[in-house]
Amino acid sequence: MRLGIRLKLFLLSVGLILVTVASFDVWMSRAIAQYVTVNIRDDLYVRAAVAAREASQLHAPFGDVAAWDGRADELAKTLAARVTFIAPDGSVMGDSVVDRDGLAKMENHRDRPEVVEALRTGRGSDERVSATLQIRWMYVAVPFESATAAAIARVARPLAEVDAAVTSARRALYVGSAFAFFLAILVAAGLSQRLTSTVRDLTSVARRMAQGELDVRTRRSGSDEFGALGETLDALATGLSQTLGELRAERDLQIRILQNMQEGVLVLDDDDHVVLMNPTLCAMLLLAGADFAGKHFLEVVRISELQSLFAKARKSTDGSSAEIETGGIKPRRLLVHASALKDKEGGLLAVFVDVTDVRRLESLRRDFVANVSHELRTPVAAVLSATETLRDGGAIANPVAAERFLAIIDRNAQRLQALIEDLLELSRLDAREYHVKKERVDGAALLNIVTGLFRERAEKKNIKLCAKLPVPAPTIESDQRALEQILGNLVDNAIKYCQAGASVTIRLEEDENRRLRFLVEDTGPGIEARHLPRLFERFYRVDAGRSREVGGTGLGLSIVRHLGEAIGAEITVRSELGVGSTFIVTMPCGDPK
Ligand code: ADP
């Protein structure tokens, strides 16, 4: 059974009090008995002295039993004790409790201890059972001078009376002790209660601190041990909360860094179980949920190539890298660098970098270079072959043939020029060298310029070109040159691909969101829906032969898209095969009109 500190303290105090009171009582009861006995004896001596004085004035002969016994009876009443007179020869002359007949039968008292002592020292006492009366007495005797010799006056009280006095004194002692005992118990209970309530308070505060409530304080001070303990606990909590705060700030910073990193981070233990995985990696691997800690990495990542990579990284001092492909609906290429954790036996850190866009751009660049070379090669080859034929074949002497070859050279040189101009424009846009201006562009003037540029060509092809805009015409806050080029390219395409008799309309209007937009509509051949998503890519042509035939470079719409991005405009296309196409340039909102 476990006892509480309060009960232990209480029981200890009760035990101590009990032992103290018991030993005190044993000692006191003996002392009281001795004190009461001595007191009674001294009192008897006083009475014996009175009896002796009275007896010395009696002047009766020792044989006059009637006189002595009578005086003994009188004195016994006055002194409230048994009174005995003993003659010098030891015979009893008178006794207050023995009648006269009895006196004759009484033994000689010469050798009674109190008588012997009184005759020797002047006073004597004894306690014993009376031979005559068979009860216990306390006797005291003193000698007195009478007539010729010294006789003895003896006074006695039954020892039962002495015992009763001792018992009553002891009872008073016991009652007092019991009272003191209970008082002491009450004080001990109160003290142990106070002591334990302090300990309980301190324990409860310490427990709350242990549970993480580091802002609680004992608020105890003072010079005693509890004050010191309280102060120490408070100091401990202050220190702990400060350290914890610093640790938390450090951890939060690490979490923030991990959460905001562009790279995915994976930490594994020696058993390949996930210790940490940052949100970027979860997003890269399209993992829903957040708590993957404790799971085997293959259960979470499901890319088996990683297993061999990680095994290699654990063996190598510089770590190991590899590029992996994730499956699923959105495949990505990830560059993974894994290295063993130096301070953690068997631990591994893997950093994932998403290189999908980089690899796509690399492939785009490769394709672009291939496309450019291809585009350049054809006109250059045409020019070379024409000049060669002119020079070597003697065509130069034939004006008709010479004219034809010169026309070929001219057309291909123009194509090369257009291609180089478009490439330069694109590279400027790519390098962000195009500085966008913000100016007030008059809508009517802008459409006038664009239609003016293409009117002649349109008329030549028998295409109806017109502009439609609200009155008064809106003003656009944008880059005039970019807008001219965007609309120019779109109108150029429309005229290029439309057959004779078609019409091309440039419209300026407000859309349902009150944003200004330009529409370049034609009633040309239209574009199949499957081409629309790739239409703005570099060198993408619906019909390459037709494009080259009409002098297209395959870069016009790509330049339109880049310029649109530069001025914040959105370029979209609607088209229906056999009906016509509409290219829409929606200006960013907030443009004043
Ligand atoms: P290109 O120099 O070949 O015209 P673009 O990038 O300007 O290159 O256009 C890409 C392709 O889109 C063209 O080859 C053409 O097939 C198609 N296209 C563009 N505009 C129109 C149009 N208005 N009508 C029909 N097809 C068009």
Side-chain angles (χ1 to χ4, degrees):
M1 188 180 68
R2 284 188 60 206
L3 297 178
I5 184 168
R6 185 173 150 198
L7 192 59
K8 276 186 197 159
L9 273 174
F10 178 70
L11 289 179
L12 189 72
S13 322
V14 168
L16 278 174
I17 295 167
L18 206 66
V19 168
T20 312
V21 169
S23 5
F24 176 75
D25 274 11
V26 169
W27 177 78
M28 267 310 269
S29 115
R30 252 194 236 141
I32 283 174
Q34 211 173 352
Y35 175 77
V36 171
T37 312
V38 168
N39 249 8
I40 292 175
R41 190 180 293 130
D42 286 352
D43 175 64
L44 281 180
Y45 273 127
V46 174
R47 294 183 208 196
V50 173
R53 201 187 64 222
E54 289 295 319
S56 65
Q57 287 164 9
L58 186 60
H59 304 301
F62 294 132
D64 188 353
V65 172
W68 285 104
D69 195 38
R71 178 52 60 95
D73 290 347
E74 280 167 30
L75 279 171
K77 280 185 197 127
T78 322
L79 299 174
R82 177 184 172 188
V83 178
T84 312
F85 292 120
I86 300 158
D89 64 352
S91 61
V92 179
M93 300 183 292
D95 192 296
S96 58
V97 292
V98 181
D99 58 15
R100 247 168 252 166
D101 296 339
L103 285 176
K105 287 175 210 157
M106 281 180 79
E107 287 175 6
N108 187 295
H109 277 38
R110 177 188 282 279
D111 54 355
R112 291 291 191 270
E114 70 276 12
V115 174
V116 174
E117 198 187 342
L119 286 172
R120 194 164 43 85
T121 65
R123 57 192 273 168
S125 71
D126 192 28
E127 287 162 27
R128 65 174 181 278
V129 176
S130 154
T132 321
L133 297 165
Q134 297 305 320
I135 57 167
R136 292 179 67 237
W137 292 94
M138 176 186 272
Y139 298 104
V140 303
V142 291
F144 67 88
E145 288 301 323
S146 173
T148 52
I152 295 291
R154 192 181 75 174
V155 177
R157 280 184 71 183
L159 266 176
E161 281 178 27
V162 177
D163 288 347
V166 170
T167 308
S168 119
R170 269 188 182 147
R171 193 175 298 129
L173 170 75
Y174 291 146
V175 169
S177 297
F179 182 71
F181 178 67
F182 285 114
L183 205 71
I185 283 178
L186 282 181
V187 172
L191 269 177
S192 65
Q193 158 77 25
R194 246 194 86 180
L195 228 68
T196 48
S197 91
T198 312
V199 172
R200 248 200 320 269
D201 287 354
L202 287 171
T203 312
S204 125
V205 172
R207 195 169 290 141
R208 284 172 66 191
M209 285 173 180
Q211 283 164 355
E213 268 186 74
L214 291 179
D215 47 348
V216 289
R217 294 287 177 275
T218 62
R219 310 216 182 283
R220 209 167 264 282
S221 56
S223 53
D224 65 354
E225 284 78 357
F226 289 125
L229 180 60
E231 277 172 15
T232 311
L233 275 176
D234 286 353
L236 187 76
T238 310
L240 265 179
S241 79
Q242 201 177 330
T243 314
L244 217 66
E246 284 165 12
L247 283 175
R248 265 195 204 125
E250 217 167 283
R251 186 201 59 191
D252 289 351
L253 179 69
Q254 282 174 3
I255 289 175
R256 269 202 303 280
I257 292 173
L258 274 173
Q259 280 178 342
N260 292 302
M261 270 174 83
Q262 294 287 311
E263 294 82 13
V265 176
L266 176 71
V267 179
L268 300 181
D269 65 10
D270 52 344
D271 268 345
D272 276 345
H273 287 98
V274 176
V275 176
L276 187 146
M277 198 167 171
N278 75 341
T280 314
L281 182 59
C282 294
M284 278 179 190
L285 301 171
L286 301 176
L287 295 173
D291 199 14
F292 299 107
K295 291 188 180 164
H296 193 277
F297 85 90
L298 276 179
E299 251 180 87
V300 182
V301 183
R302 294 177 191 280
I303 300 170
S304 52
E305 295 115 282
L306 287 177
Q307 204 158 21
S308 55
L309 172 70
F310 291 171
K312 219 163 112 191
R314 280 202 172 96
K315 282 182 207 138
S316 142
T317 44
D318 304 330
S320 179
S321 302
E323 217 168 289
I324 54 159
E325 183 115 24
T326 66
I329 44 163
K330 204 177 156 199
R332 309 205 69 82
R333 280 203 80 74
L334 303 178
L335 175 66
V336 190
H337 181 82
S339 50
L341 287 176
K342 303 264 180 311
D343 53 342
K344 200 170 181 293
E345 190 67 22
L348 185 114
L349 167 74
V351 179
F352 294 68
V353 183
D354 189 342
V355 289
T356 318
D357 292 338
V358 178
R359 298 292 177 258
R360 195 172 52 80
L361 282 177
E362 280 171 5
S363 124
L364 276 181
R365 189 153 299 143
R366 267 196 308 274
D367 292 351
F368 181 71
V369 172
N371 279 327
V372 170
S373 326
H374 178 74
E375 290 297 327
L376 291 173
R377 201 176 292 131
T378 320
V380 168
V383 170
L384 282 176
S385 98
T387 48
E388 207 175 271
T389 318
L390 264 178
R391 195 187 304 126
D392 302 337
I396 203 154
N398 180 346
V400 181
E403 186 60 36
R404 196 160 52 84
F405 283 112
L406 280 176
I408 291 173
I409 291 170
D410 182 50
R411 199 172 60 244
N412 281 292
Q414 277 184 30
R415 214 173 125 198
L416 277 174
Q417 192 188 15
L419 199 63
I420 288 162
E421 269 171 18
D422 279 359
L423 281 172
L424 281 174
E425 183 70 29
L426 259 183
S427 103
R428 262 202 303 276
L429 286 166
D430 264 354
R432 312 249 181 267
E433 275 173 18
Y434 187 89
H435 298 293
V436 179
K437 281 193 224 145
K438 276 267 175 196
E439 53 201 337
R440 293 178 81 80
V441 182
D442 177 19
L446 176 70
L447 294 198
N448 243 337
I449 294 171
V450 177
T451 47
L453 279 173
F454 294 97
R455 176 142 303 122
E456 205 186 313
R457 262 182 64 199
E459 277 168 8
K460 256 193 205 160
K461 260 191 100 174
N462 192 22
I463 286 171
K464 198 177 143 211
L465 176 65
C466 65
K468 286 191 179 159
L469 69 169
V471 181
T475 313
I476 309 130
E477 183 88 3
S478 191
D479 185 309
Q480 168 122 11
R481 197 178 85 79
L483 278 177
E484 275 176 23
Q485 197 169 349
I486 289 172
L487 294 174
N489 278 12
L490 293 176
V491 173
D492 179 48
N493 274 353
I495 294 174
K496 264 190 324 200
Y497 297 108
C498 276
Q499 62 285 12
S503 62
V504 175
T505 313
I506 317 176
R507 211 186 280 279
L508 174 57
E509 59 174 35
E510 230 177 42
D511 73 356
E512 55 281 3
N513 298 320
R514 299 182 58 80
R515 290 198 298 176
L516 281 175
R517 62 181 185 183
F518 296 94
L519 293 97
V520 179
E521 298 168 343
D522 65 59
T523 56
I527 306 158
E528 261 186 274
R530 66 188 167 96
H531 295 295
L532 296 181
R534 299 192 58 193
L535 208 62
F536 294 90
E537 283 178 18
R538 290 167 191 195
F539 297 113
Y540 188 82
R541 293 167 165 119
V542 175
D543 178 348
R546 170 108 183 91
S547 162
R548 286 200 187 95
E549 193 185 299
V550 294
T553 59
L555 296 172
L557 286 182
S558 183
I559 292 171
V560 166
R561 189 188 63 184
H562 274 82
L563 278 171
E565 276 171 10
I567 61 167
E570 192 187 332
I571 320 279
T572 49
V573 58
R574 288 198 298 251
S575 188
E576 204 178 323
L577 208 60
V579 177
S581 313
T582 306
F583 287 84
I584 307 159
V585 182
T586 310
M587 300 306 295
C589 33
D591 287 324
K593 287 168 240 168

